[in-house]
Amino acid sequence: KLCEGILNVLEKDTKTSCQVACLEALRILSRDKKVLVPVTTKRNLQILMRLAKLDTVEDPLERVSEFPVIVEALKCLCNIIFNSAVAQELSLELNLAAMLCNLLEKCKDQQFVGDIKCFDLRLLFLLSLLHTDIRSQLRQELQGVQVLTQALESCLSVRWTEEYKAAEDRDRPPLSLQETDCAIEALKALFNVTLDSWNVHSETESHQFRYMAAILRHCLLTTGPTEDKTEELHSNAINLLSNVPVSCLDVLISPSSQEETDIKYNGMNMGAIQILLDFMEKRIDKGSSYREGLTPVLSLLTECCRTHRNIRKFIKAQVLPPLRDVSNRPEVGTTVRNKLVRLMTHVDLGVKQIAAEFLFVLCKERVDSLLKYTGYGNAAGLLAARGLLAGGRGDHWYSDDEDTDTEEYKSAKPNINLITGHLEEPMPNPMDEMTEEQKEYEAMKLVNMFDKLSRDELIKPMGVRLDGTMAPLEEAVSQYHTNKRDSSDSD
């Protein structure tokens, strides 16, 4: 009854202060799904859309006194759309997404519209998240990628020096809280709209994604009002970069001019890549929520390294520098390599796979190079999954520049334990003082233990096929003998 009464008052032309008070009450009520039934009708949603200036295509945003009403109406719509499937369906029927894009255009070059823009973007994010048809409508009919990219560019106040290169002003103050929140909402909406964008089919699309990637590079080099807000901003930028076709990610690095003092490699400015590496290490150190927090940045870095040689070489120099001290196991220590190797045996399968894949790509998908940095025990899961237990290399081609081993590594190499990946002191052989009968007894004892475990199906003996994949031991041995017979000379 209260909701209905409020909406009846809002339908009439009342004072601005009265409209704001009614909308504030409705916003609080709209958090409760149980009271939304009377609100989620076409008539009542249209009342809120009118108050949010979504139904007036031509009227500019001029009357500043109306802005609080517009903001409160947008907040109410956010709650209602989020909590009601009926409202989500009606929003498609009422063409709400198109009206929101139009309102976003009105916010261009307008002062004091930060909150309006922020909640407009939040509503576009919710619609694109909760309704796949609206997501398609935004992408195909409403040029949503272009509209939202321009909104993001405006939030970040990007200035261009070249086609895909934004000006870097080191003296620029951090973004305000409102600017940061606006940028985050734009990034989240763009993420939804650009899902499944791996295949770029036209030059226009390629330009659009390169333009977006250049803005995202600027975003990574920008800070927010607090450390937490900066991390949230960068996290959403990384999520969106994961949707950008990998061929367009070359704009993350650019030729470095003389006056720039940023991190350089082969004459290229690597500032954005360094921020991605720092972000990755910070997320590893956090020690929790790896799947949500860490895998996006690891996946992004893996794809960048696989496709762009300069990025791979720069990251490898940071993550896998030439080995000198091999006295500790690869997973022991505080370096980025140690932290990533520890993740190779993580309980979460997805985290384990992407960490191993990242290191494998840094090693140019060469098994011998990976084993050098990680040890066979840590790499076994990846090699088994890729059918590379017998050695070799992955499917992708990389440049032929070879790694050079340090003198320290070369001298220690003969004594390195291949399983653990580190230098071990020679251990006394416990069998040296045994008689032949004792050795035979211990051997049979071990055989019987394995046999019992196998018969009780607690373990299953496995072997490596000729193609490097795993198979039950009997099958692997049979294949080996068959191959040996076929390859022998016949009389």
Side-chain angles (χ1 to χ4, degrees), residues 380-395:
L382 172 80
L383 300 181
R386 298 283 291 265
L388 293 169
L389 285 167
R393 63 188 307 162
D395 301 327

Side-chain angles (χ1 to χ4, degrees), residues 287-480:
S288 62
S289 304
Y290 281 152
R291 184 172 281 268
E292 299 81 19
L294 178 63
T295 53
V297 67
L298 266 178
S299 299
L300 175 64
L301 288 171
T302 302
E303 290 307 316
C304 285
C305 292
R306 186 173 274 139
T307 310
H308 302 292
R309 180 170 177 262
N310 271 326
I311 295 178
R312 174 176 55 78
K313 293 188 77 174
F314 171 74
I315 291 176
K316 184 173 182 184
Q318 304 264 56
V319 176
L320 299 178
L323 284 175
R324 298 185 185 281
D325 181 10
V326 286
S327 58
N328 290 323
R329 289 172 179 253
E331 66 270 24
V332 175
T334 58
T335 66
V336 184
R337 173 177 78 109
N338 302 142
K339 294 171 184 178
L340 284 165
V341 172
R342 284 199 287 273
L343 290 178
M344 293 176 80
T345 52
H346 195 270
V347 290
D348 188 307
L349 186 62
V351 173
K352 178 167 73 172
Q353 286 175 337
I354 191 60
E357 187 75 15
F358 176 53
L359 291 172
F360 194 42
V361 169
L362 287 183
C363 294
K364 296 187 285 189
E365 299 193 21
R366 284 173 28 211
V367 172
D368 56 342
S369 181
L370 179 70
L371 297 182
K372 180 173 85 173
Y373 287 104
T374 68
Y376 197 91
N378 292 311
L382 172 80
L383 300 181
R386 298 283 291 265
L388 293 169
L389 285 167
R393 63 188 307 162
D395 301 327
H396 291 82
W397 181 88
Y398 296 85
S399 57
D400 291 333
D401 52 309
E402 290 299 323
D403 298 322
T404 53
D405 291 333
T406 62
E407 291 301 321
E408 295 93 328
Y409 178 77
K410 285 178 183 175
S411 61
K413 190 175 180 180
N415 298 316
I416 291 175
N417 184 322
L418 296 177
I419 302 299
T420 61
H422 83 299
L423 190 64
E424 289 186 347
E425 292 296 324
M427 299 287 287
N429 189 344
M431 299 181 74
D432 283 347
E433 296 180 4
M434 286 187 184
T435 63
E436 291 302 317
E437 291 79 7
Q438 285 175 315
K439 291 177 185 177
E440 189 175 341
Y441 171 77
E442 291 295 335
M444 289 308 300
K445 186 177 169 184
L446 191 61
V447 168
N448 290 332
M449 286 167 62
F450 274 114
D451 183 53
K452 186 176 186 308
L453 289 169
S454 179
R455 278 188 283 104
D456 293 344
E457 296 188 350
L458 292 171
I459 65 167
K460 187 171 187 178
M462 303 290 282
V464 182
R465 290 194 189 100
L466 295 171
D467 62 1
T469 57
M470 297 287 285
L473 189 59
E474 300 86 350
E475 184 185 327
V477 171
S478 171
Q479 189 186 55
Y480 175 77

Side-chain angles (χ1 to χ4, degrees), residues 202-264:
S202 69
E203 202 171 307
T204 305
E205 280 183 310
S206 179
H207 165 72
Q208 201 167 56
F209 279 111
R210 282 175 180 276
Y211 181 65
M212 185 194 299
I215 294 172
L216 292 173
R217 178 183 182 276
H218 179 77
C219 187
L220 290 172
L221 297 169
T222 302
T223 56
T226 65
E227 193 175 332
D228 286 346
K229 273 294 173 187
T230 300
E231 188 175 341
E232 187 182 353
L233 178 70
H234 289 175
S235 177
N236 282 287
I238 288 163
N239 289 343
L240 180 52
L241 277 168
S242 301
N243 285 354
V244 175
V246 71
S247 59
C248 301
L249 291 177
D250 55 339
V251 298
L252 289 178
I253 59 176
S254 60
S256 182
S257 56
Q258 290 298 317
E259 64 272 12
E260 288 177 343
T261 56
D262 283 329
I263 298 156
K264 301 176 187 178

Side-chain angles (χ1 to χ4, degrees), residues 53-151:
K53 295 294 180 189
L54 292 171
D55 61 340
T56 52
V57 178
E58 302 300 331
D59 293 354
L61 296 173
E62 289 179 343
R63 292 173 60 186
V64 178
S65 60
E66 291 180 341
F67 288 2
V69 176
I70 298 171
V71 171
E72 284 300 326
L74 286 169
K75 287 179 182 178
C76 288
L77 284 168
C78 284
N79 283 355
I80 293 163
I81 296 295
F82 180 71
N83 285 316
S84 170
V86 175
Q88 291 159 27
E89 290 299 328
L90 281 171
S91 62
L92 181 61
E93 187 182 331
L94 294 167
N95 207 17
L96 180 57
M99 294 179 184
L100 287 165
C101 288
N102 182 55
L103 180 61
L104 210 53
E105 287 290 320
K106 288 184 193 176
C107 289
K108 261 188 193 175
D109 308 320
Q110 285 277 346
Q111 287 187 315
F112 317 116
V113 293
D115 282 339
I116 296 175
K117 188 175 179 180
C118 193
F119 287 104
D120 184 314
L121 288 165
R122 183 170 297 177
L123 199 42
L124 280 169
F125 159 67
L126 289 170
L127 288 170
S128 59
L129 172 72
L130 299 167
H131 204 303
T132 51
D133 289 343
I134 294 178
R135 187 187 305 162
S136 301
Q137 183 193 21
L138 275 166
R139 184 165 55 232
Q140 294 162 11
E141 297 170 28
L142 302 174
Q143 295 184 312
V145 175
Q146 187 176 341
V147 170
L148 290 166
T149 303
Q150 287 172 351

